[in-house]
Amino acid sequence: MLKKSLVVLALMAGVICSAVAESKRDTIPPFIGVSYIPSRSWFVHHITTNDGDFLKYNFRGTSMSSYEGSFGIKSIGMRFGVSAEVDDNIIGKVQRYGGYLGLKGFWLKLQGGSVAGSVNWLGELPPGFSDYYSFNNKTFSIELLRNFTKKRYIDGKWQVSEFESQYGFFWGIGYQTFAMPVKVSTLITEGGRVNQQLGVPAYDTNFSAKYYTIGAGFDLLRQLSLSGGRFGLVSGVPPMRFALYASTQDKLGFGSSQLSDHAKAMGEALNPDKTMVDTKGFSYGGFYYLSVGFRYLIYAKPVFIILATGYDLEGAGIINFGGAADTNVDLGYDTNMFYVNHGVSVKIYVSWVGK
């Protein structure tokens, strides 16, 4: 972890110094922020439990890295294997051609991590299937973000709230992927969706989903970085060198989910004479992020540095549409779930403030 942090610091110093001229073309100062969570604890709950809670998780090696900034982030992300999918989605393409589209004042955030471990299946097991599976999946997200000024409706008109604006409120659009083993509650019917009932459950070794997201939040660390440490929460008073910080974000995601061949084969084996319906469907995700901790400011012109350590919490509810059984030969499914992960994080922000 120490070696990786030193490499990141060296990369940031080089990129910042070489990009001063380039930053003049944008409306935000050059900055880079890096966050690293070496290990996360997980909790997963499947919403349908009437057919049993048979899938048990043992997570390990679940790290998370985030890189954000107004320039040079792609090269840094690539150095650590985060940006492999940057251009493989609409958000990445918009960012790539943002200069031609006049997207000034936006910055890019990349996030990549691992979700690794094993699962044990305690339910009914058909011949040829294992009750144990080891997994190691990658997660990825890319976001285009921009600050906005907080306003309040006072005396019959909207007025800027100077105090709240220093919280660093932002909004953005993004793209993210998700994959992990899940329990599959099967659905059968004698005829019609209104007569559906639970069949024999199975599990999927590699359920996956992809979402386009829109979200908003606030980030005190990023706001300090964007202002070069000149402004605190109290107007006219510079920020304290050592203090608490907080950041949060809510996102809504819409996209598609996909069951693997394992879920289809196991579900059909456990429910004879049934054929699983289309394993791809529309999916909705509600995502929440919170980080709180302590930060320390370093004024070392021409750069301004923020060092922070805290505790990060991320949660999501995954609702999948489709998968209904309409006839007596259909095998429907339900994979709705929510999860929470959390862990200690270290963060560093570096911005160029000039001489």
Side-chain angles (χ1 to χ4, degrees):
M1 178 178 172
L2 178 59
K3 181 179 179 181
K4 184 174 182 178
S5 300
L6 291 174
V7 172
V8 171
L9 285 172
L11 281 169
M12 285 194 296
V15 173
I16 287 177
C17 293
S18 64
V20 177
E22 182 68 21
S23 69
K24 295 178 181 178
R25 303 176 188 176
D26 207 343
T27 59
I28 59 175
F31 82 97
I32 291 179
V34 178
S35 176
Y36 181 61
I37 307 175
S39 179
R40 296 177 290 168
S41 298
W42 282 75
F43 170 77
V44 179
H45 178 74
H46 296 93
I47 295 176
T48 300
T49 58
N50 294 342
D51 54 351
D53 182 19
F54 296 125
L55 191 63
K56 303 301 179 182
Y57 294 87
N58 177 29
F59 289 96
R60 62 179 181 274
T62 57
S63 62
M64 176 66 75
S65 300
S66 299
Y67 308 89
E68 62 177 303
S70 50
F71 58 85
I73 292 302
K74 281 190 179 181
S75 60
I76 290 180
M78 188 175 296
R79 171 64 179 80
F80 295 104
V82 173
S83 60
E85 301 176 74
V86 166
D87 292 322
D88 191 26
N89 58 84
I90 294 175
I91 305 302
K93 289 179 172 62
V94 169
Q95 191 276 336
R96 181 178 181 181
Y97 299 106
Y100 302 102
L101 298 175
L103 295 179
K104 298 296 185 180
F106 284 83
W107 64 88
L108 184 68
K109 180 177 181 179
L110 300 177
Q111 190 172 66
S114 62
V115 183
S118 61
V119 291
N120 289 93
W121 178 250
L122 306 181
E124 188 174 339
L125 193 69
F129 290 84
S130 174
D131 61 357
Y132 174 86
Y133 182 76
S134 179
F135 63 94
N136 186 359
N137 297 324
K138 301 297 182 182
T139 61
F140 169 81
S141 72
I142 176 174
E143 293 180 89
L144 277 175
L145 303 173
R146 186 172 188 175
N147 270 16
F148 67 86
T149 302
K150 187 71 173 180
K151 295 183 178 181
R152 292 287 183 181
Y153 194 72
I154 303 174
D155 297 330
K157 61 181 179 179
W158 288 100
Q159 300 183 33
V160 174
S161 172
E162 297 292 345
F163 175 75
E164 290 181 290
S165 293
Q166 294 305 316
Y167 275 80
F169 285 95
F170 66 92
W171 68 275
I173 54 176
Y175 169 83
Q176 68 184 69
T177 64
F178 170 79
M180 69 183 304
V182 299
K183 189 189 87 168
V184 180
S185 295
T186 60
L187 302 171
I188 58 176
T189 181
E190 291 300 318
R193 298 187 180 188
V194 295
N195 297 315
Q196 288 183 117
Q197 57 185 356
L198 292 170
V200 181
Y203 78 97
D204 192 2
T205 56
N206 193 32
F207 168 84
S208 61
K210 299 177 180 180
Y211 300 100
Y212 283 99
T213 63
I214 182 169
F218 72 84
D219 192 326
L220 292 174
L221 294 179
R222 187 192 297 125
Q223 182 65 17
L224 278 170
S225 184
L226 289 173
S227 69
R230 296 189 301 272
F231 310 114
L233 292 177
V234 180
S235 179
V237 179
M240 295 184 293
R241 281 188 177 269
F242 181 77
L244 289 168
Y245 80 86
S247 60
T248 184
Q249 184 181 18
D250 294 285
K251 294 191 293 185
L252 299 178
F254 303 91
S256 62
S257 62
Q258 177 75 60
L259 289 177
S260 72
D261 292 340
H262 180 278
K264 175 178 171 63
M266 185 176 178
E268 291 176 349
L270 290 170
N271 297 271
D273 303 321
K274 307 291 183 183
T275 300
M276 185 167 282
V277 298
D278 190 356
T279 56
K280 184 176 182 179
F282 177 76
S283 184
Y284 161 81
F287 304 91
Y288 176 73
Y289 166 78
L290 172 68
S291 179
V292 293
F294 296 93
R295 53 86 174 149
Y296 183 75
L297 310 182
I298 300 175
Y299 296 88
K301 289 186 176 182
V303 297
F304 168 66
I305 303 171
I306 305 173
L307 302 177
T309 183
Y311 206 84
D312 290 22
L313 181 146
E314 178 189 49
I318 306 297
I319 305 297
N320 302 300
F321 298 88
D326 291 310
T327 71
N328 61 1
V329 296
D330 287 343
L331 182 64
Y333 59 88
D334 177 357
T335 53
N336 297 336
M337 59 177 291
F338 68 83
Y339 67 81
V340 175
N341 64 71
H342 51 91
V344 175
S345 66
V346 290
K347 307 176 191 292
I348 179 171
Y349 281 79
V350 180
S351 58
W352 182 271
V353 295
K355 297 181 180 180

